[in-house]
Amino acid sequence: MDAAFHIQARDPGSRARAGLLRTAHGVVRTPAFVPLATKGVVRGISAAEVEALGYDMVLGNTFHLWLEPGHDLVGGFGGLHEFMGWPRPIITDSGGFQVFSMGYGNVSAEIKKTGAGPGGNSVLGITEEGVTFKNPRNGAAIFMGPETSMEVQAALNSDIALVFDECTPYHVDRDYTARSTERTHRWLRRCLDWHAEHGPPEQLVYGIVQGGVYEDLRVASAQAVAASDVDGIAIGGSLGADKDQMHGVVDLTTAVLPEDRPRHLLGIGEVDDLIRGVELGIDTFDCVTPTRLGRHGGVLVPDPGRRFRLDLTAARFKTSTDPIEDGCPCAACAGGHTRGYLRYLAKNREQTGQRLLTLHNLTYLARLMRDLREAIAAGTLAETAAALRAGEPPSTEPVEPLSPPEPSPSAARS
Amino acid sequence: MDAAFHIQARDPGSRARAGLLRTAHGVVRTPAFVPLATKGVVRGISAAEVEALGYDMVLGNTFHLWLEPGHDLVGGFGGLHEFMGWPRPIITDSGGFQVFSMGYGNVSAEIKKTGAGPGGNSVLGITEEGVTFKNPRNGAAIFMGPETSMEVQAALNSDIALVFDECTPYHVDRDYTARSTERTHRWLRRCLDWHAEHGPPEQLVYGIVQGGVYEDLRVASAQAVAASDVDGIAIGGSLGADKDQMHGVVDLTTAVLPEDRPRHLLGIGEVDDLIRGVELGIDTFDCVTPTRLGRHGGVLVPDPGRRFRLDLTAARFKTSTDPIEDGCPCAACAGGHTRGYLRYLAKNREQTGQRLLTLHNLTYLARLMRDLREAIAAGTLAETAAALRAGEPPSTEPVEPLSPPEPSPSAARS
């Protein structure tokens, strides 16, 4: 299958490339950061606002939307685009991460919020068929396998579906990782078979490379996924104990991936990781960082000494009349709001504050990715990446949204 | 003192009037609804958005801002306008309602949220001097009297300060109400004296009419307040057990108020009450309804049979593809969001949903008040009020914000 991915420029000094990813609901300019709309909403922000920030795609979550409000209900609206009022591309995570993270005990905050008890092993059984686990909403045993995930994603009618995989955690051994990765490859085949027969014809399907931190397993997985007829390739699972190891795993993976298909790095989105990921040839990234950080009083700033973030709830900002970042075009900075006021709102968990910080963080990453895209096109990525790493702010021009998408006639399913 | 209130048109068939209220931070078109910015923020909405909705003034709360972040801190920013990034007029409630509501056991939801135990009598003593009560944040005994309230409001540098009053509840008897109302009149005098000596010269001061549901006490209070040199007159305290009694109390009060000073009705903002209040000669209203309702899944609609509101969390909206209101220019309706999606967001307490419903409700009331203002000017209030009461939607044109205010040089204090 020919993925509608067109590389427009390559950086001569790295694996970075800039391109256009064409989907049933329009184009994604790459490299791109993809904000999370886990439950069909970017938390605190409306779909129109996400568009206005210059984002081309959001990521919805199969697991969450399956449980609530249910893929049948979303399908009744015509799909996730119509349900959430977002006319542009959507990628859906497969649910594998969520299902398995329940088993490994590191239930995500989102799952906790639905009312499940903290911790505990909610996975009742993992077989070749799929996973049976306790519904975190009501404790009932439910089953998700590769076909379930693809069926849900078909009903959501996302532009890009991710195959159902076992997301192997860091603490398991090489032997478990090897066996798990092989099962993930068999599940990939089942996902593609189901999709070929039942999936929306225009929906792209990405495979997921697993293999933990083991070089030979990662390489074998990358080759196995690349050998299948997936439209794109995501890198998932444990990427290591620290940033160096994570960058190493991405490096050895993209080294063996085919050039012509788009690559997504799952769950990574800190500023330095985005810059490095682009150099390593990643095209799209998703991460909870900008939105979750904003809800907890954290903001992105061009300061490598502070890992590019500030905790605005710190007492030293109490009387600060500075903006978060001089010249930033976001609603918080351009709106004239001071760090002192935003600190007050964040400390009091006022929604307006959480939202303004989220808008700043999403604006910051949109600017960062725009600068990286333009630098690749201009042949200046090395200088731009060095400047951004050293604490130069991304250009303060707002990121222009693409013209409104014109979905192809077959993109509407209702 | 000459209140900067200019009546531009009067309705021949009622006491309604349309005018301009000039303050240090610009003009308020009356009659007007005033959104609550209790803690220095309209919940979920940024100051720039409140302006864009066509609101000219917001209401901050002396009690809440005194406790957190403190009037000294706000004063250090130059005042509440600078602190919250709102350049237009601000009216501040005196704190009397909050202080006394703690004593009468009906602690407001806002106060509960700060961590005080539910219920219980937090008022330690009411004397001629003022009120001593337990700080709901830490249990420490603190005191607020007329001078405290005016001092806090001076630091906040609001455009309109309300005098400190005893907000007499519904359940107390005539004798208590009479004695309480007389004390409120003595406190009015102390507030005006403090303000004459220490208050910001451009800050307007409104007196508050008390007297409960007792006609003679209300009339006496209205006359006492009108006889003082207040710039405007607010109507507070218990307005009765139902809407008829409330409208009756407002009626007998505005009947004896002087024509030339602006009148504010405290805490009233349901659609039918706004229409009736305008007919009775009220110029400004504040109420938690549009914002709180929105946070709990409720929306305003032109449907008198449902008290002009819908509970979107009802199951019947689960699959609805209708907007909240056809033609409404708000971010929810014009953004293409369905009742079904908004229900899903509201049920899951997603901030984006709470916010979209709040924006709809504020848009609805802005449209309603604009129509009433224009009808008074056009001499068609009777027809417009009848149509709105019967369920005609307010005009769906967005409400134009006034041009940016040009504060007078002395309005900046820092």
Side-chain angles (χ1 to χ4, degrees):
Chain A
M1 203 183 305
D2 179 44
F5 182 54
H6 300 277
I7 295 175
Q8 299 179 304
R10 291 172 195 276
D11 174 54
S14 73
R15 289 188 206 127
R17 61 265 192 94
L20 294 178
L21 175 59
R22 294 187 193 283
T23 79
H25 288 83
V27 168
V28 181
R29 296 164 286 188
T30 67
F33 179 79
V34 181
L36 293 197
T38 303
K39 298 179 177 182
V41 59
V42 177
R43 297 190 80 178
I45 314 290
S46 70
E49 292 176 307
V50 179
E51 278 197 273
L53 292 174
Y55 284 103
D56 301 337
M57 182 158 72
V58 297
L59 183 141
N61 190 280
T62 301
F63 174 80
H64 287 287
L65 293 165
W66 177 51
L67 296 183
E68 169 81 10
H71 58 295
D72 287 342
L73 186 135
V74 175
F77 280 82
L80 186 55
H81 299 83
E82 292 78 4
F83 183 61
M84 67 180 283
W86 169 261
R88 296 178 185 272
I90 295 175
I91 182 171
T92 39
D93 202 352
S94 64
F97 176 80
Q98 284 69 33
V99 166
F100 283 95
S101 70
M102 292 199 296
Y104 303 127
N106 56 341
V107 182
S108 74
E110 280 84 0
I111 294 171
K112 276 185 209 157
K113 274 192 61 185
T114 63
N121 191 327
S122 302
V123 169
L124 304 172
I126 304 174
T127 66
E128 185 64 23
E129 201 47 35
V131 186
T132 305
F133 58 98
K134 281 192 216 160
N135 184 334
R137 295 188 162 255
N138 57 22
I142 45 175
F143 172 84
M144 177 172 267
E147 292 80 8
T148 328
S149 173
M150 295 311 284
E151 183 184 339
V152 173
Q153 294 183 78
L156 298 176
N157 196 27
S158 54
D159 297 278
I160 301 172
L162 284 164
V163 299
F164 189 71
D165 63 329
E166 176 169 0
C167 185
T168 45
Y170 182 63
H171 71 262
V172 301
D173 63 18
R174 191 185 184 290
D175 185 52
Y176 185 96
T177 303
R179 283 182 289 117
S180 159
T181 301
E182 279 159 29
R183 183 160 53 203
T184 285
H185 297 161
R186 293 190 296 274
W187 286 358
L188 161 66
R189 189 68 260 152
R190 282 166 55 189
C191 286
L192 289 173
D193 288 348
W194 191 94
H195 190 267
E197 189 156 351
H198 310 288
E202 298 207 2
Q203 188 179 52
L204 306 175
V205 178
Y206 278 24
I208 302 181
V209 174
Q210 291 288 347
V213 295
Y214 306 99
E215 178 162 355
D216 57 335
L217 297 181
R218 277 281 167 191
V219 168
S221 182
Q223 288 166 337
V225 174
S228 73
D229 55 353
V230 294
D231 300 292
I233 296 162
I235 302 174
S238 167
L239 298 165
D242 56 35
K243 280 175 186 272
D244 280 347
Q245 192 172 17
M246 186 261 280
H247 297 163
V249 170
V250 174
D251 189 2
L252 64 91
T253 306
T254 59
V256 298
L257 288 180
E259 275 287 310
D260 61 339
R261 276 180 279 183
R263 303 152 179 175
H264 182 88
L265 183 56
L266 285 160
I268 300 295
E270 300 203 1
V271 168
D272 50 343
D273 298 331
L274 292 169
I275 300 170
R276 187 72 191 130
V278 165
E279 292 173 331
L280 292 171
I282 299 296
D283 302 301
T284 53
F285 304 81
D286 74 273
C287 191
V288 76
T289 291
T291 42
R292 180 175 292 165
L293 192 66
R295 290 201 304 281
H296 292 87
V299 289
L300 298 177
V301 289
D303 185 348
R306 296 184 182 275
R307 291 179 55 218
F308 298 95
R309 50 169 84 176
L310 283 183
D311 176 5
L312 273 193
T313 66
R316 66 195 166 101
F317 298 121
K318 208 165 177 178
T319 58
S320 170
T321 57
D322 292 332
I324 302 170
E325 184 197 358
D326 273 322
C328 172
C330 82
C333 297
H337 294 300
T338 61
R339 291 180 176 185
Y341 179 61
L342 296 168
R343 174 190 187 270
Y344 161 73
L345 295 181
K347 283 289 281 186
N348 286 277
R349 305 203 62 71
E350 283 287 343
Q351 293 190 3
T352 302
Q354 300 182 328
R355 183 179 134 72
L356 286 169
L357 303 194
T358 299
L359 286 169
H360 170 80
N361 292 344
L362 287 175
T363 300
Y364 193 91
L365 290 193
R367 291 161 50 206
L368 177 81
M369 299 309 290
R370 182 262 323 270
D371 282 11
L372 293 171
R373 283 195 299 273
E374 292 186 350
I376 296 168
T380 57
L381 182 64
E383 301 89 302
T384 297
L388 291 167
R389 280 199 178 95
E392 276 287 312
S395 158
T396 54
E397 284 296 305
V399 178
E400 284 296 318
L402 283 172
S403 355
E406 289 182 38
S408 59
S410 60
R413 281 163 40 85
S414 75
Chain B
M1 207 184 304
D2 179 45
F5 182 54
H6 301 276
I7 295 175
Q8 299 179 303
R10 291 172 194 277
D11 174 55
S14 73
R15 288 186 207 130
R17 63 263 194 93
L20 293 178
L21 175 60
R22 293 185 193 283
T23 79
H25 288 83
V27 168
V28 181
R29 297 164 287 187
T30 68
F33 179 78
V34 181
L36 294 197
T38 304
K39 298 179 178 182
V41 59
V42 178
R43 297 190 80 180
I45 314 289
S46 70
E49 291 176 308
V50 179
E51 280 198 272
L53 292 173
Y55 284 102
D56 302 336
M57 182 157 71
V58 298
L59 183 140
N61 189 280
T62 301
F63 174 79
H64 287 286
L65 293 165
W66 177 51
L67 296 184
E68 168 80 12
H71 58 295
D72 287 341
L73 186 134
V74 175
F77 279 81
L80 186 54
H81 299 84
E82 291 78 7
F83 182 62
M84 66 181 283
W86 169 260
R88 297 179 185 273
I90 296 174
I91 181 170
T92 38
D93 201 353
S94 65
F97 175 81
Q98 283 69 32
V99 166
F100 282 96
S101 70
M102 292 199 297
Y104 303 128
N106 56 341
V107 182
S108 73
E110 279 84 358
I111 294 169
K112 276 185 208 157
K113 273 193 61 186
T114 61
N121 191 327
S122 302
V123 170
L124 304 172
I126 304 174
T127 67
E128 185 64 23
E129 202 46 35
V131 185
T132 304
F133 58 98
K134 283 190 214 161
N135 184 334
R137 295 189 161 256
N138 58 22
I142 46 175
F143 172 84
M144 177 172 265
E147 293 80 8
T148 328
S149 173
M150 295 310 285
E151 183 183 342
V152 173
Q153 294 183 78
L156 298 176
N157 196 26
S158 54
D159 297 279
I160 302 172
L162 284 164
V163 298
F164 189 71
D165 61 329
E166 177 168 2
C167 184
T168 46
Y170 182 63
H171 69 261
V172 302
D173 63 18
R174 190 186 184 289
D175 185 52
Y176 185 95
T177 303
R179 282 183 289 118
S180 159
T181 302
E182 279 160 29
R183 183 160 53 202
T184 285
H185 298 161
R186 293 191 295 275
W187 285 357
L188 162 66
R189 189 67 261 152
R190 282 166 54 189
C191 285
L192 289 172
D193 288 348
W194 191 94
H195 190 268
E197 189 155 349
H198 310 287
E202 299 207 0
Q203 186 179 53
L204 305 175
V205 179
Y206 278 25
I208 302 181
V209 175
Q210 290 288 348
V213 296
Y214 306 100
E215 178 163 355
D216 56 335
L217 297 182
R218 277 281 168 190
V219 168
S221 182
Q223 288 166 338
V225 173
S228 74
D229 54 354
V230 293
D231 300 292
I233 295 162
I235 302 174
S238 169
L239 297 165
D242 56 35
K243 280 173 185 273
D244 280 348
Q245 193 173 18
M246 186 260 280
H247 297 163
V249 169
V250 174
D251 189 2
L252 66 91
T253 305
T254 58
V256 298
L257 288 181
E259 276 288 310
D260 62 338
R261 275 178 283 183
R263 304 152 179 176
H264 183 88
L265 183 56
L266 284 160
I268 300 295
E270 300 203 2
V271 169
D272 51 343
D273 299 331
L274 291 169
I275 300 170
R276 187 70 191 130
V278 165
E279 291 173 332
L280 292 171
I282 300 296
D283 302 300
T284 52
F285 304 81
D286 75 272
C287 191
V288 77
T289 292
T291 41
R292 180 174 291 168
L293 192 67
R295 289 200 305 281
H296 291 87
V299 288
L300 299 176
V301 289
D303 185 349
R306 296 184 183 274
R307 290 179 55 219
F308 298 94
R309 50 168 85 175
L310 284 183
D311 176 5
L312 273 194
T313 66
R316 67 195 165 100
F317 297 121
K318 206 164 177 178
T319 59
S320 170
T321 56
D322 293 332
I324 302 170
E325 185 196 356
D326 273 322
C328 171
C330 83
C333 298
H337 293 301
T338 62
R339 290 180 177 186
Y341 180 61
L342 296 167
R343 172 188 188 271
Y344 161 72
L345 295 181
K347 283 289 280 186
N348 286 278
R349 305 201 63 71
E350 282 287 344
Q351 294 190 4
T352 302
Q354 300 182 327
R355 183 179 134 73
L356 285 169
L357 303 194
T358 298
L359 286 169
H360 170 79
N361 292 343
L362 287 175
T363 300
Y364 193 91
L365 290 192
R367 291 161 50 206
L368 178 82
M369 300 308 290
R370 181 262 322 271
D371 282 10
L372 293 170
R373 283 195 299 272
E374 292 185 352
I376 297 167
T380 57
L381 182 63
E383 301 91 300
T384 297
L388 290 168
R389 280 199 178 94
E392 276 286 314
S395 160
T396 54
E397 284 296 305
V399 177
E400 285 295 319
L402 284 172
S403 353
E406 290 181 38
S408 58
S410 60
R413 280 160 43 83
S414 70

